Amino acid sequence: MEIKDRFIQQITQGYGSANAISIGAAMLDGTPIKEAQVKIPLKTLNRHGLIAGATGTGKTVTLQIIAESMSAAGIPVLMMDLKGDLSGIATAGVINPKIEERHQLIGLPYNPKATFTELMTISGREGVKLRATVSEFGPVLFSKILELNETQSGLVAMLFKYADDKGLLLLDLKDFKALLKFATEDGKAELQKEYGNISTASIGTILRKIVELESQGAEHFFGEKSFDVEDLLKKDANGLGIASIIRLTDIQDKPKLFSTFMLSLLAEIYATFPEAGDLDKPKLCVFIDEAHLIFNEASKALLDQIESIIKLIRSKGVGIYFITQNPYDVPDAVLAQLGLKVQHALRAFTEKDRKAIKKTAENYPISEFYKTDELLTSLGIGQALISALNEKGIPTPLAAVHLKAPASRIGVLTPDEINSIHAKSQLVNKYNSVVDRESAYELLNKRLEDKADAAVSSEEEEPKSKKSPKQEKSIIQKASENTMVRQVGRTVFKELARGLLGALGIGGKKKSGWF
């Protein structure tokens, strides 16, 4: 059997699933082979994935191809758009000579098509506003986000417990800050009596951490109305999955807020979605662009939490896909969970780069058709090495793929197109109205006001038994009411006056008697 026939047979056996999404044709000696179609089974799309490669090699377009293909197969997708260039999925692509040539090479028709899209935001600017309450985070997750130590985390847990016991809603950060202030002032004695000692230094540290989080815009994220993750599972009238795009262009320099949001979202999905078992296709797939922003800035506790969720969320019917330049931006514990790997070209400018390429090549299956380490540096734009899992969970053979073009438009939307999407949105009216219920902030302030009013009232209304000086007669006043006492007093006064005048040499001659 000739090498080409063996190659076609191997690719067909490895990627020949009927219930799958097609992403392109495998290449042999740099040439796409139409008979060697590469398809990813829908059944394995909840096994997570990675799209990696150097800048300008086509990672974002590959993300768009896979996401719109999932949507066409009835799978809702959620995409984190940090650069603003994923919104084009909402508009149909336009055929041109380059697209025609590409699709002729891979043997697939090109059908321009838009995907129904919801545009979302966590910064409160354009789109469906995503929010979560402090209470929904819970003390453990909230402490991890703030990077607190064990003592400080215990104090946060105590404050959450007190809020629950007293019916104090913790909706936004001002609620929690009000509770911190209460714990160090008017409520300190009560809290210490019921729950134990409170460290003022720990309270101060927690407050500084919250201020740091606020400086990255977290006040727009914490609050109501909380986003219901069930709304990510919506489909359009034709049963196609909706593409939800979270526009994050304005928080690229706020990695802590991004990490906070991602962790809370994944935790909420895991806590809310029921166990799904082994589905024919995922209920939801999440694409995290610029994934290094999560992992590079996350604390050890936060990383552990993310890794735990990634390991467990697959059973909920959810697939997570990371997009980054270097595969090693993603922790090993997460890489070990990935079923699909799409590797675009890597660049070798330094010795360190060459070592990284060699190490990356070793993570792919050995192939008689490719020298993987050499191929990694020679792939063109829109070409990638792919390794996946078949429907039985067995790794597929390595394939260098000439990818198809996205059916939607590549690039950003115009302001008018964005406004049109908002006008058709099913969720804008649901989540963009302002809700500010009575919560811990208002209740604690009211308690302080009531205490102050009570203190003023008690001063104004003293017991009647305590008479004022005007009401209580003095001893002198009582004595002056007696006639004999008044007469003696007058006599004594006269004698004193005379003695004083005599001492001063004033008055007449001395007579018998006293004078």
Side-chain angles (χ1 to χ4, degrees):
M1 184 182 295
E2 293 184 1
I3 187 171
K4 181 178 178 180
D5 293 333
R6 293 203 313 274
F7 177 76
I8 293 172
Q9 184 182 45
Q10 186 182 87
I11 297 298
T12 302
Q13 290 176 351
Y15 297 94
S17 175
N19 192 23
I21 59 172
S22 178
I23 59 173
M27 299 186 297
L28 180 63
D29 296 329
T31 302
I33 307 299
K34 295 179 181 180
E35 297 84 358
Q37 293 294 314
V38 174
K39 302 176 183 179
I40 312 300
L42 298 180
K43 193 178 183 68
T44 64
L45 291 177
N46 66 336
R47 303 297 179 91
H48 312 317
L50 171 73
I51 302 173
T55 300
T57 55
K59 298 187 301 297
T60 301
V61 176
T62 300
L63 185 166
Q64 191 169 332
I65 292 168
I66 296 175
E68 69 181 17
S69 298
M70 288 179 176
S71 172
I75 303 171
V77 295
L78 173 65
M79 296 182 283
M80 312 296 150
D81 187 9
L82 272 90
K83 300 189 293 292
D85 49 5
L86 286 174
S87 58
I89 197 173
T91 306
V94 178
I95 195 165
N96 59 48
K98 288 186 177 180
I99 290 178
E100 287 182 333
E101 180 185 3
R102 176 173 288 269
H103 277 256
Q104 286 174 0
L105 288 172
I106 62 178
L108 290 174
Y110 181 74
N111 300 310
K113 185 179 180 183
T115 299
F116 190 91
T117 303
E118 290 279 7
L119 298 178
M120 303 178 172
T121 176
I122 65 174
S123 62
R125 294 189 178 180
E126 295 180 337
V128 179
K129 294 180 180 179
L130 304 183
R131 298 187 186 91
T133 66
V134 173
S135 294
E136 287 170 339
F137 268 65
V140 176
L141 188 55
F142 194 64
S143 296
K144 287 182 177 179
I145 287 164
L146 296 178
E147 300 179 10
L148 303 180
N149 62 29
E150 186 175 348
T151 301
Q152 295 155 359
S153 298
L155 182 53
V156 168
M158 183 187 76
L159 293 174
F160 267 79
K161 179 67 167 59
Y162 177 81
D164 287 341
D165 292 346
K166 302 300 180 181
L168 301 173
L169 293 176
L170 299 176
L171 303 180
D172 50 28
L173 292 179
K174 78 174 186 292
D175 288 326
F176 198 77
K177 288 164 67 178
L179 186 57
L180 288 172
K181 181 181 179 182
F182 177 76
T184 58
E185 297 177 0
D186 297 84
K188 186 173 183 179
E190 178 188 352
L191 282 161
Q192 289 190 151
K193 182 180 178 180
E194 295 186 29
Y195 302 96
N197 290 332
I198 293 176
S199 168
T200 304
S202 293
I203 292 284
T205 300
I206 296 169
L207 183 58
R208 287 193 296 273
K209 293 285 189 178
I210 291 176
V211 171
E212 179 188 351
L213 198 59
E214 282 181 320
S215 69
Q216 296 201 13
E219 72 274 10
H220 297 295
F221 173 62
F222 286 99
E224 291 187 309
K225 185 175 184 181
S226 293
F227 185 76
D228 184 356
V229 292
E230 292 285 345
D231 283 331
L232 296 174
L233 303 181
K234 292 185 177 294
K235 299 180 181 181
D236 67 11
N238 297 317
L240 306 182
I242 289 178
S244 301
I245 300 176
I246 304 178
R247 308 186 76 202
L248 303 171
T249 53
D250 53 344
I251 66 165
Q252 290 186 30
D253 58 343
K254 301 172 182 177
K256 195 174 187 70
L257 178 58
F258 181 49
S259 298
T260 297
F261 165 71
M262 276 309 309
L263 183 56
S264 68
L265 179 69
L266 295 178
E268 184 69 14
I269 288 173
Y270 179 73
T272 304
F273 289 6
E275 290 290 329
D278 201 13
L279 301 175
D280 290 334
K281 60 184 179 183
K283 293 194 294 185
L284 175 71
C285 284
V286 181
F287 293 84
I288 305 173
D289 200 4
E290 304 295 338
H292 64 278
L293 291 179
I294 292 181
F295 299 112
N296 290 354
E297 301 294 332
S299 65
K300 178 66 167 60
L302 203 58
L303 282 175
D304 291 342
Q305 190 76 15
I306 293 172
E307 290 170 7
S308 297
I309 291 175
I310 295 299
K311 291 176 182 178
L312 299 171
I313 204 169
R314 183 188 68 81
S315 64
K316 306 284 186 170
V318 178
I320 311 293
Y321 291 78
F322 301 98
I323 297 86
T324 188
Q325 291 189 20
N326 194 314
Y328 298 103
D329 291 335
V330 181
D332 291 342
V334 175
L335 285 174
Q337 302 297 316
L338 306 182
L340 174 65
K341 295 178 183 178
V342 180
Q343 180 65 63
H344 287 269
L346 293 174
R347 306 300 181 216
F349 296 110
T350 66
E351 182 181 355
K352 183 179 179 180
D353 292 337
R354 289 191 291 272
K355 287 181 179 178
I357 289 171
K358 185 176 181 180
K359 187 177 180 181
T360 300
E362 292 173 353
N363 292 329
Y364 287 93
I366 297 174
S367 173
E368 65 171 301
F369 305 106
Y370 306 117
K371 291 183 178 180
T372 308
D373 55 344
E374 296 179 4
L375 190 58
L376 281 172
T377 60
S378 60
L379 290 168
I381 297 174
Q383 298 177 344
L385 282 176
I386 290 180
S387 176
L389 299 174
N390 65 20
E391 292 177 324
K392 296 181 179 179
I394 301 171
T396 59
L398 183 64
V401 181
H402 200 68
L403 299 166
K404 69 179 184 179
S408 53
R409 193 174 79 199
I410 298 173
V412 300
L413 298 179
T414 65
D416 288 342
E417 289 171 332
I418 291 174
N419 291 334
S420 176
I421 291 174
H422 294 334
K424 294 184 290 186
S425 172
Q426 302 174 357
L427 302 177
V428 165
N429 292 335
K430 180 177 180 180
Y431 291 108
N432 286 26
S433 57
V434 177
V435 178
D436 190 12
R437 287 192 290 163
E438 187 178 60
S439 53
Y441 178 80
E442 290 79 13
L443 292 174
L444 291 175
N445 282 341
K446 186 175 185 298
R447 185 181 299 186
L448 292 176
E449 290 172 2
D450 291 345
K451 185 177 180 180
D453 291 343
V456 172
S457 299
S458 66
E459 290 178 1
E460 293 176 348
E461 298 179 5
E462 292 184 356
K464 291 183 179 180
S465 60
K466 296 182 180 180
K467 294 183 179 180
S468 66
K470 292 182 180 179
Q471 295 173 319
E472 187 70 27
K473 291 184 178 180
S474 67
I475 296 174
I476 295 174
Q477 284 176 317
K478 289 180 179 178
S480 66
E481 293 175 355
N482 187 291
T483 304
M484 184 180 70
V485 171
R486 285 204 304 271
Q487 181 61 41
V488 172
R490 281 197 295 270
T491 301
V492 171
F493 177 75
K494 287 179 181 178
E495 294 299 326
L496 286 172
R498 288 172 181 163
L500 179 60
L501 293 172
L504 295 173
I506 303 173
K509 296 180 180 179
K510 186 175 180 181
K511 297 181 180 180
S512 59
W514 287 95
F515 291 101

